[in-house]
Amino acid sequence: MALKEGKLYYSISEVSRHFGVAASLLRYWESEFPSIKPKRNAKGTRFYTSSDVEEIARIYLLVKDKGYTLQGAKDKLK
């Protein structure tokens, strides 16, 4: 599933479906990679920006496609 172009924010379910990963994995990556900073509303719901999605795409490529460890991905992104 492709993300809809032109949207300012994407929900965690949209992003998780786009990458084919669980929402819990995105929340975990958020805690491990400080570059992922989704906006939150008063209830705490996450809203990812296009730059967040691009950063997730870079992490996904390194970890899932190229087989990097999380530490290896962190080092590569620096």
Side-chain angles (χ1 to χ4, degrees), residues 52-70:
D52 290 326
V53 174
E54 290 169 8
E55 186 67 13
I56 291 168
R58 286 190 281 276
I59 294 166
Y60 182 90
L61 176 73
L62 291 173
V63 173
K64 297 290 186 181
D65 292 344
K66 294 191 175 183
Y68 279 70
T69 63
L70 284 182

Side-chain angles (χ1 to χ4, degrees), residues 4-28:
K4 203 177 209 181
E5 289 295 318
K7 282 183 75 173
L8 292 178
Y9 299 103
Y10 302 95
S11 70
I12 193 166
S13 60
E14 288 175 309
V15 177
S16 67
R17 267 184 301 199
H18 176 71
F19 290 105
V21 298
S24 60
L25 180 62
L26 293 177
R27 288 191 296 271
Y28 178 67

